[in-house]
Amino acid sequence: MDLIKWISATAPEIFLLLAVAIGTVLGRKKFFGFSIGTTACILIVSVILGQLGTFTIPALLKTVLFSLFVFTIGYRSGPEFFASLSLRTLAQVALALVLGLTGLILVLIFAFTLGLDPGTAAGLASGSLTQSSMIGTASGALSQLGLPEKVLNQQLANIAAGYAVTYVLGYILTLLFVPFVAPRLMGVNLKTEAARLEDELSGGAAPKSENLSYRKFQARAYRVSTAAGRTVKDIEQEIGRRTVVERIVRAGADIEAHGDVVLVAGDDIVIAGPTVAIVAARPVIGNEIDADEILRAIPGNVADVLVSQRQLHGRSLQEIADRVGDSARGVFLRALTRMGREVPLSPDTRIYVGDVMTLVGSKRNIDRAAAKVGQVLASGDRTDVAFLAAGIAFGLLAGLVSVKFGSVALTLGGGGGALVAGLVCGWYRSRQPTVGALPPAAQQILVDIGLGGFIAAIGLGNGQAAWSAIQAHGLLLVGMGMIVTIVPLIVATLFAHRILRMNPVIICGALAGAMTVDAAVTGACDAAESETPVLGVAVPYAVGNVLLTVLGPIIVACTFVA
């Protein structure tokens, strides 16, 4: 034991990394069909390890770790957040606001009636509303109040205790509420409503420019005989299915393949498009030929394109197809993903900034179409470290600004400032794709290491005090936590269904998004036997991430007594 205490005092970073490692492994394990997540597991493990000795974690390390995490969350949510400020998505924004503000009101009621200190109140809100980043913003706000070190450490321990007790419960209740309780409150069968929504989405007329169709894409070469004397445009229209003449070779020389070119007998042409259409092209053009050389010049390509054009936010695929028009010639939409989940495709499917379109076609055609939609996600992009560091630095500087309300100074703190900076930087990156690269893989590393390391530091540094707080107030926190989780979900469900008249399936997805619980989206999809709940996730998720994170300083300011 003396050896462990010596290591904890000499090299606490060893235990910090062990807490992250063990908590991450446990967080991936499923119990009774679901996992409670790595964040809660890391905190629990770090609190347990914190009983082994006295751990002094430098405040600078905690600030840097949390800033990396919350900046990345803002960067990831920025385009969606700013694009969500439009009339087309107002109902989903309103649902997220109602849920978050209801949670805030309940926490403040408990704080004032039961005399909760700022740390306990912030921990209760963070865990019950399943928003881990609130721990950091609340901690930052507390650190700027000029509290004695012993008092500040106790407040931080109370945050950890409140979160540890209420998070797992809040997570489980959200998982159960979204797919099972919410439909009952609305008096609907989620499976039936999802089937009805799918029928509505697929029941519209085919899009004018047929930009939504996709079949297995390929290119084949033909020698012109039947098509001699006809224009490229005529041939493409007769074959249909948005097939395109990608290349014309005449007497060994390339001819530009535009619509008015008249084909000549003996021309070798390459037709690209869905397999079913290409196979049927022979009677229209002539015999298929084995021409590997000219086919190699028209490589089939698959690219993921991030939707970043704000004017497309909330519009249907049909509307976007009409807007893109001829720029989508030779390009096919294979899939649409939102927060990593595939979205059902139909002409009426709504597109939001932050969605990823998987496009199929030749590279030049994809590049032309992508310019009208957003930006191609290049897997080889390196992180723009200068942009990242400067953005966080300016965010931390903004976090020093405070506004006084009486004797209380309201401030975003370093975490809140980094979040705002991330939102702005993420939005700017969507407008200027050549600046500020932060690839998805790098984003995930920063989120995992930043949040995991910060949570472990909080648990280790305040483990003994947190354990004492859990023992003293555990049952009370459980009761309050259940109310702070369930009531906002009920209020938001009824508000969205009866006041906003939103589709019940979309409401379920929006509830999961507003609570930022990814697993609840999966639960809703499983209960609906459909992917349609995903349609309601994106906007509330972006708004929820921002709103719930900034509640930390607000709770501290409202509950702090000088």
Side-chain angles (χ1 to χ4, degrees):
M1 183 59 72
D2 289 340
L3 177 62
I4 293 177
K5 289 184 177 180
W6 177 78
I7 295 175
S8 69
T10 306
E13 63 273 13
I14 294 175
F15 285 88
L16 186 147
L17 293 172
L18 280 175
V20 172
I22 297 170
T24 299
V25 171
L26 292 177
R28 293 171 180 168
K29 301 292 184 182
K30 288 191 174 184
F31 303 94
F32 303 103
F34 67 90
S35 61
I36 61 175
T38 58
T39 304
C41 287
I42 289 174
L43 181 60
I44 293 170
V45 170
S46 62
V47 168
I48 294 173
L49 293 177
Q51 312 306 309
L52 300 177
T54 302
F55 296 85
T56 303
I57 309 296
L60 176 62
L61 175 62
K62 290 189 285 188
T63 298
V64 170
L65 287 171
F66 185 72
S67 297
L68 288 172
F69 159 70
V70 77
F71 176 88
T72 306
I73 291 297
Y75 181 96
R76 180 186 289 175
S77 303
E80 296 169 293
F81 177 76
F82 287 109
S84 69
L85 306 178
S86 68
L87 292 176
R88 289 189 296 272
T89 56
L90 188 59
Q92 296 181 33
V93 173
L95 181 149
L97 291 175
V98 167
L99 189 149
L101 293 178
T102 303
L104 172 63
I105 291 170
L106 288 171
V107 169
L108 293 180
I109 290 174
F110 282 130
F112 293 137
T113 56
L114 300 178
L116 302 182
D117 59 80
T120 301
L124 169 65
S126 179
S128 302
L129 298 175
T130 64
Q131 183 55 257
S132 305
S133 59
M134 202 187 303
I135 298 176
T137 54
S139 300
L142 284 166
S143 66
Q144 294 190 7
L145 295 178
L147 300 173
E149 183 178 358
K150 184 177 181 180
V151 175
L152 176 60
N153 288 338
Q154 183 60 58
Q155 292 294 320
L156 296 178
N158 291 345
I159 293 178
Y163 177 87
V165 171
T166 59
Y167 177 83
V168 175
L169 185 62
Y171 188 88
I172 293 173
L173 289 175
T174 303
L175 284 180
L176 296 174
F177 184 93
V178 171
F180 304 117
V181 180
R184 287 183 175 274
L185 275 179
M186 294 182 283
V188 300
N189 181 290
L190 194 59
K191 182 178 177 181
T192 302
E193 291 296 326
R196 183 179 293 122
L197 179 58
E198 288 181 345
D199 289 340
E200 292 176 2
L201 291 175
S202 62
K208 295 176 183 177
S209 54
E210 296 182 326
N211 284 342
L212 310 182
S213 60
Y214 169 75
R215 297 294 184 273
K216 186 176 180 181
F217 175 87
Q218 65 171 261
R220 292 192 180 189
Y222 295 87
R223 180 151 294 157
V224 174
S225 58
T226 312
R230 303 181 64 185
T231 64
V232 168
K233 183 177 181 181
D234 289 339
I235 296 301
E236 290 177 345
Q237 289 180 342
E238 182 170 348
I239 298 173
R241 304 292 185 90
R242 298 189 58 246
T243 54
V244 294
V245 176
E246 287 280 3
R247 190 181 185 193
I248 304 173
V249 178
R250 181 175 298 166
D254 275 296
I255 303 295
E256 185 179 355
H258 58 78
D260 296 329
V261 171
V262 178
L263 298 176
V264 176
D267 285 350
D268 290 337
I269 68 173
V270 175
I271 299 287
T275 300
V276 65
I278 297 300
V279 171
R282 188 187 66 79
V284 180
I285 302 170
N287 291 329
E288 185 175 358
I289 60 174
D290 184 10
D292 290 341
E293 184 177 344
I294 66 172
L295 283 172
R296 277 196 296 268
I298 311 294
N301 203 51
V302 179
D304 289 332
V305 177
L306 176 70
V307 178
S308 59
Q309 295 293 336
R310 192 176 187 276
Q311 63 269 27
L312 302 182
H313 186 75
R315 296 190 180 277
S316 68
L317 277 174
Q318 171 68 69
E319 293 175 304
I320 293 174
D322 294 338
R323 279 173 169 257
V324 174
D326 291 339
S327 294
R329 182 175 180 269
V331 178
F332 302 85
L333 177 62
R334 185 169 76 178
L336 177 70
T337 54
R338 181 170 299 157
M339 294 177 57
R341 295 188 65 92
E342 191 165 333
V343 177
L345 288 176
S346 80
D348 292 326
T349 297
R350 296 285 170 179
I351 302 298
Y352 300 107
V353 168
D355 288 351
V356 176
M357 290 182 169
T358 301
L359 301 182
V360 180
S362 65
K363 185 179 184 304
R364 64 179 181 179
N365 287 339
I366 289 178
D367 289 343
R368 183 181 64 243
K372 298 288 186 179
V373 175
Q375 54 186 291
V376 176
L377 294 176
S379 58
D381 281 352
R382 295 181 60 183
T383 298
D384 188 339
V385 176
F387 185 84
L388 172 68
I392 295 176
F394 280 109
L396 294 175
L397 182 63
L400 298 177
V401 178
S402 62
V403 179
K404 279 203 169 184
F405 291 89
S407 61
V408 178
L410 181 60
T411 175
L412 285 175
L419 174 67
V420 173
L423 288 169
V424 174
C425 289
W427 170 82
Y428 184 76
R429 161 70 174 173
S430 71
R431 315 309 296 174
Q432 301 290 335
T434 59
V435 179
L438 188 57
Q443 293 178 29
Q444 195 59 51
I445 289 175
L446 292 176
V447 167
D448 292 341
I449 293 296
L451 180 60
F454 173 76
I455 292 295
I458 292 291
L460 287 173
N462 305 281
Q464 296 178 6
W467 181 246
S468 299
I470 291 172
Q471 290 177 311
H473 307 294
L475 290 178
L476 178 62
L477 286 170
V478 167
M480 292 187 296
M482 292 180 65
I483 295 173
V484 176
T485 298
I486 291 295
V487 173
L489 284 169
I490 293 174
V491 171
T493 301
L494 296 177
F495 175 77
H497 184 59
R498 298 184 181 180
I499 305 299
L500 301 179
R501 301 293 182 183
M502 291 173 61
N503 184 286
V505 180
I506 303 299
I507 290 174
C508 289
L511 291 171
M515 288 291 283
T516 65
V517 177
D518 295 343
V521 183
T522 302
C525 292
D526 291 343
E529 296 184 10
S530 167
E531 292 295 318
T532 49
V534 179
L535 298 171
V537 174
V539 172
Y541 189 88
V543 175
N545 262 319
V546 177
L547 174 64
L548 297 180
T549 298
V550 300
L551 290 187
I554 294 174
I555 292 171
V556 170
C558 292
T559 56
F560 176 71
V561 178

